[in-house]
Amino acid sequence: MSVYALWHIASGNLLGSFDDEKPALMLVRGLVASNGPAIADELELGVEDDNGDFTHRGTGSQLIAHTEAILARV
């Protein structure tokens, strides 16, 4: 099973780990709504697969665009 992880880049803190991407993106959306779009430059979303391989999903404006594209389908 894949695990989606949202990281605060500067501090190295894990903000959350999720079995599904949508809750991670909802957290991104909430952080952007509360702090403004610049907060996305401090966030990184990635997914770790069953083999332990990490795939970068986005940061900054790329992460905001990905978030809105996925959550628009919900």
Side-chain angles (χ1 to χ4, degrees):
M1 171 164 40
S2 296
V3 175
Y4 294 84
L6 183 63
W7 292 90
H8 183 261
I9 298 167
S11 68
N13 287 328
L14 176 64
L15 300 178
S17 126
F18 309 88
D19 293 335
D20 186 76
E21 186 176 34
K22 289 179 186 129
L25 297 177
M26 296 205 42
L27 178 54
V28 170
R29 182 185 269 175
L31 290 168
V32 169
S34 297
N35 300 286
I39 192 69
D41 292 333
E42 301 176 23
L43 304 175
E44 178 181 18
L45 178 64
V47 60
E48 186 175 343
D49 66 19
D50 291 338
N51 296 322
D53 296 322
F54 185 82
T55 303
H56 174 78
R57 287 285 222 218
T59 192
S61 60
Q62 177 189 20
L63 179 57
I64 291 173
H66 178 70
T67 297
E68 294 310 316
I70 298 297
L71 293 182
R73 299 182 210 157
V74 176

